[in-house]
Amino acid sequence: MSRSNAFLDDHAAMALALDEARAAAARGETPVGAVILDPTTGTVIAKAGNGPIGAHDPTAHAEIAAIRQAAQALGNYRLTDLTLVVTLEPCAMCAGAISHARLGRVVFGAEDPKGGAVIHGPKFFDQPTCHWRPAVTGGVMAEESAELLRGFFRARRGKATGPRP
């Protein structure tokens, strides 16, 4: 865990998540980054980038990795009152994990009309079967987050394509 001297606002926290997304891209992973922080102290508890390819784990999304790190750091699977900041709208799997972890707030950057599950698709937190609904703020540094993704996939399309390993 790292502690800041000043409280992290949404933009400062998203800047940290973008750093994690850039690190993921450098590893050849889809550039999505996440940070979990305690909004009352400004303490960054966990940070992670996407890692399904390197980990050989389809669940190794940035949000899942950050949730796992935070739970280990705190010794508790309940992350009540903490804030998850992520560069891309969470998918259904991640939204489910967010709900199970009881995160108090989710802040995301770019919307994901294809795979997102917060304001798109199943709108997970709006479902009557969802037992925990965090506060949600979307669109924080959305253009920076979206451009990172666009640039990553633009560069990949520019390379020779072949069968996936």
Side-chain angles (χ1 to χ4, degrees):
M1 289 188 278
S2 62
R3 184 171 173 96
S4 64
N5 291 332
F7 293 100
L8 290 176
D9 67 12
D10 290 349
H11 284 80
M14 186 62 74
L16 294 175
L18 281 163
D19 288 343
E20 293 298 316
R22 287 183 197 95
R27 295 188 306 270
E29 303 280 358
T30 300
V32 177
V35 173
I36 294 180
L37 60 101
D38 182 336
T40 62
T41 64
T43 302
V44 174
I45 297 165
K47 51 188 178 176
N50 255 12
I53 297 168
H56 308 291
D57 178 359
T59 70
H61 289 194
E63 301 96 319
I64 300 292
I67 288 169
R68 287 175 178 159
Q69 284 178 26
Q72 287 295 312
L74 298 174
N76 192 341
Y77 74 108
R78 297 284 197 225
L79 305 177
T80 310
D81 298 327
L82 300 182
T83 297
L84 169 71
V85 179
V86 61
T87 58
L88 182 66
E89 178 184 352
C91 70
M93 174 185 69
C94 293
I98 290 163
S99 181
H100 282 285
R102 306 291 196 260
L103 281 154
R105 184 167 177 244
V106 174
V107 177
F108 69 87
E111 293 182 12
D112 186 358
K114 280 183 161 180
V118 176
I119 62 172
H120 292 96
K123 298 181 182 175
F124 190 92
F125 302 128
D126 293 340
Q127 298 306 312
T129 54
C130 180
H131 298 292
W132 181 267
R133 293 168 180 83
V136 175
T137 302
V140 176
M141 297 178 74
E143 187 52 39
E144 294 90 332
S145 298
E147 184 51 41
L148 185 59
L149 286 158
R150 282 191 297 267
F152 176 80
F153 287 111
R154 191 179 310 119
R156 288 188 69 136
R157 283 191 302 273
K159 295 179 181 178
T161 57
R164 289 185 145 179

